[in-house]
Amino acid sequence: MRKPFSMKTRHYLEGYAFTLPWLIGFLLFMAVPLGKSLYYAFQSLEVKTEGLKATYVGLENFRRAFTVDVDFTPKLIETVASLLIQVPLILIFAMFSALLLNRNFRGRMLFRGIFFLPVIIASGSVLTKLREDGAATLPIFAQYDLATRLTDIIPVQILLPLLKALDSLTVSMWDSGVQILIFLAGLQSISVQLYEAAKVDGATPWESFWKITFPMITPMILVNTLFSIVNSFTKPGNGVMEYMQTVVFQNLQFGYGSALGWIYFIIAFAVIGLVLTLFRNSLKGRG
Amino acid sequence: MQVSDKPAGARLQRLELSRKRALTMAPAVKRQSRTFFSVLFHYVMLYSLSFVFLYPMLYLISKSLMQSSDLTDAAVQWIPKELSFDNFQYAYIDLKYMGAFVNSVVTSLVPAIIQIFSCAVIGYGFARYRFPGYSIMLGLVLFTFLVPPQTIIVPLYMFFSDLNWINTYFPFIVPPVLGHGLRGALFVLIFLQFFRGLPHQLEEAARIDGAGAFRTFWSVMLPLARSAMLVVFLFSLVWHWNDLFQPNLFTMLSDKFNLMQNLAVMDGQGEQEMQQGLGTLTVNMVGLAPTFANRVMAGSLITILPMLLLYLFTQRYFVESVERAGLAGD
């Protein structure tokens, strides 16, 4: 019998044995690259035959991103704006779909299968191709000349953004497969007895949604919000992401590319931090 | 919920049934009409949303069967005048399908399988052990999930290029081994949630029987995690398959390109051909020009076909597994 360690130490050691591989990976593939990219962000890197030559330029790269570079700022604003529009849309839509699918009805499995289909199709180059071909918008608006007819009733200044939002609706819906599943799993975990008790007490479906369903799936809303934000920041076809790749691999401006990466990272974190504070307050308010 | 084999459970179920019946049968006509409309609304919503979800699929199929003349024919909406499979043949050649398919499989199936096991081990460690530095490490997992991969592309590319890993499969295989790679942190969190939900008694029994920590994990806990494993496997496989960012970063040679990369390139050629062949287009004819959209759509279809087939066979278990895997968190 070997018993060189106390129970507690052994527990610790076993815990480390399971999780240490991740930590090593974190150092290799996340911490070191992240530190290096922060270092590069303050350098101007030149590709020479003997390797990279770094010269310290201070905040020059960051200044350039916002003042000199005419491409970056609009792309960044566009990305953040589309995120602010799309994430709430995705959440509402995913919740609605999950509620629809959660009821007992014939063909439930089939519909679930269909609702999750976009996860397979609507990403990568396929989505890009569909979008280029105009398939990412529903044809009703373009087909029956609806847009031009509507201009008679609604002024163009309001109509165009509205139509644009409607167009992006399709893409938001295709983006919500995972979120629907998460909500669905959350809804399944709510006990039926709660609803029955509420029904006996005379609650309307509307009331039981707001008093039971909604509070019970608040954690899932948080999970889904975070997932949607991260997804939106990293999804293909995102202007900033494509631009960064061009800067780095076509223009070979490694220092500038790193600075852009860090700006993007800070903004992503600011958005996530904002969401977390909002959620913490609302969770506290509910007690 | 599986209690029906016990007499007490059966009685409970019967009780529940009679209660349900009492609730649904008693109400007056007014409520019945309300249920009718709510059911109608339910199905209308389901069918219309299903159309939105199926729309890209139908679009791909319809367009990929069309000939160029159908694309420009205003009378043709969905059903092509003449069936032809030329587009698939063209796309098959243009995508260099067999080679690219092999590349796609290696850069998605292999990492997906590795991620199942490595993330399960790590998730288990986080679910069952408390050690000094635990909260910091868990915080780092969350942090990793939130960092946009774009932030570290430059150093990561240089790191892999220093190791001479560019244009090899290593960048796709080594990070997953350590629980990283594409969305590795998310998969760790999924396993963490799942293992937290399992009772401690299972391990205690195994421990008393003399199994070590890893044996307990491997032969008692992991087999129970089948639903979480399926979820992680399918997500990982599909996301790797559809990913363009990593392959574009780590592969520069066109014979190493996977299907998604070749598909991304494909359209450029069609456009070039169009410009060369139809150099005399006027502006208002642009919308009528054959853009080889049919070929591109055929290419898109055969690119995602393996995933569609896989989904077709596993979809049932998959949706059930997501519910069982406790993806929703605590």
Side-chain angles (χ1 to χ4, degrees), chain A residues 30-31 36 59 92 100 125 127 136 162 186 188 200 227 274:
Chain A
M30 183 58 70
K36 269 191 182 165
L59 284 169
I92 293 167
L100 278 182
S125 328
L127 181 64
L162 205 69
Q188 297 273 316
V200 169
F227 183 83
L274 191 73

Side-chain angles (χ1 to χ4, degrees), chain B residues 115-284:
Chain B
Q115 273 184 330
I116 299 176
F117 293 101
S118 63
C119 296
V121 169
I122 295 155
Y124 179 76
F126 279 114
R128 282 298 198 248
Y129 291 95
R130 290 286 178 285
F131 40 84
Y134 172 85
S135 3
I136 297 173
M137 262 172 82
L138 194 59
L140 290 178
V141 176
L142 281 170
F143 174 82
T144 308
F145 173 55
L146 301 178
V147 174
Q150 292 78 8
T151 310
I152 54 171
I153 48 172
V154 177
L156 208 56
Y157 176 79
M158 288 176 178
F159 179 49
F160 288 139
S161 119
D162 283 346
L163 292 168
N164 280 323
W165 280 4
I166 302 299
N167 293 319
T168 69
Y169 296 131
F170 288 116
F172 300 94
I173 292 170
V174 178
V177 170
L178 297 169
H180 287 259
L182 191 67
R183 299 213 171 139
L186 180 68
F187 300 136
V188 169
L189 292 173
I190 289 176
F191 276 113
L192 163 70
Q193 283 294 348
F194 180 82
F195 284 120
R196 259 195 196 157
L198 293 179
H200 281 276
Q201 281 87 337
L202 292 165
E203 288 134 304
E204 277 157 23
R207 283 308 186 85
I208 288 165
D209 287 347
F214 198 76
R215 203 86 209 255
T216 310
F217 166 75
W218 184 256
S219 43
V220 179
M221 300 309 277
L222 197 62
L224 291 173
R226 237 175 260 143
S227 52
M229 287 164 82
L230 181 68
V231 169
V232 167
F233 173 69
L234 276 182
F235 273 140
S236 179
L237 184 65
V238 168
W239 285 335
H240 272 103
W241 189 274
N242 287 335
D243 186 34
L244 201 57
F245 181 72
Q246 281 199 25
N248 271 346
L249 200 56
F250 302 135
T251 41
M252 303 280 157
L253 301 173
S254 63
D255 64 316
K256 292 277 183 189
F257 278 7
N258 65 18
L259 283 173
M260 279 292 160
Q261 284 174 290
N262 277 345
L263 181 65
V265 176
M266 185 176 170
D267 162 84
Q269 289 173 343
E271 215 129 273
Q272 251 175 19
E273 273 175 50
M274 186 193 89
Q275 275 161 2
Q276 282 163 2
L278 301 147
T280 50
L281 275 180
T282 53
V283 181
N284 45 4

Side-chain angles (χ1 to χ4, degrees), chain A residues 2 8 12-13 32 34 40 51 53 77 85 134 136 146 148 162 172 175 201 204 212 236 262 265:
Chain A
R2 61 187 170 99
K8 203 174 177 184
Y12 288 165
L13 285 178
V32 172
L34 205 59
Y40 291 154
K53 195 176 157 288
I77 291 171
I85 297 167
L146 202 65
T148 36
L162 205 69
S172 318
D175 263 343
D201 285 344
T204 61
I212 302 170
W262 266 87
F265 172 51

Side-chain angles (χ1 to χ4, degrees), chain A residues 83-136:
Chain A
L83 175 127
L84 292 178
I85 297 167
Q86 278 192 10
V87 170
L89 277 180
I90 290 173
L91 285 176
I92 293 167
F93 177 74
M95 172 111 76
F96 184 69
S97 305
L99 285 169
L100 278 182
L101 290 175
N102 192 40
R103 292 175 43 170
N104 259 319
F105 58 95
R106 212 179 284 244
R108 196 172 137 142
M109 284 317 279
L110 177 74
F111 279 110
R112 285 184 182 193
I114 292 171
F115 274 54
F116 195 60
L117 202 58
V119 175
I120 293 168
I121 307 164
S123 55
S125 328
V126 175
L127 181 64
T128 320
K129 296 295 173 220
L130 280 169
R131 199 183 277 150
E132 279 168 8
D133 208 42

Side-chain angles (χ1 to χ4, degrees), chain A residues 231-279:
Chain A
N231 219 18
S232 181
F233 266 114
T234 56
K235 83 176 166 197
N238 173 329
V240 179
M241 195 167 135
E242 279 170 358
Y243 182 63
M244 254 186 270
Q245 234 162 335
T246 318
V247 166
V248 173
F249 293 103
Q250 281 172 25
N251 308 349
L252 297 176
Q253 295 166 321
F254 294 127
Y256 184 52
S258 297
L260 293 186
W262 266 87
I263 295 170
Y264 198 50
F265 172 51
I266 289 165
I267 288 171
F269 252 66
V271 174
I272 290 160
L274 191 73
V275 169
L276 282 178
T277 2
L278 285 176
F279 263 91

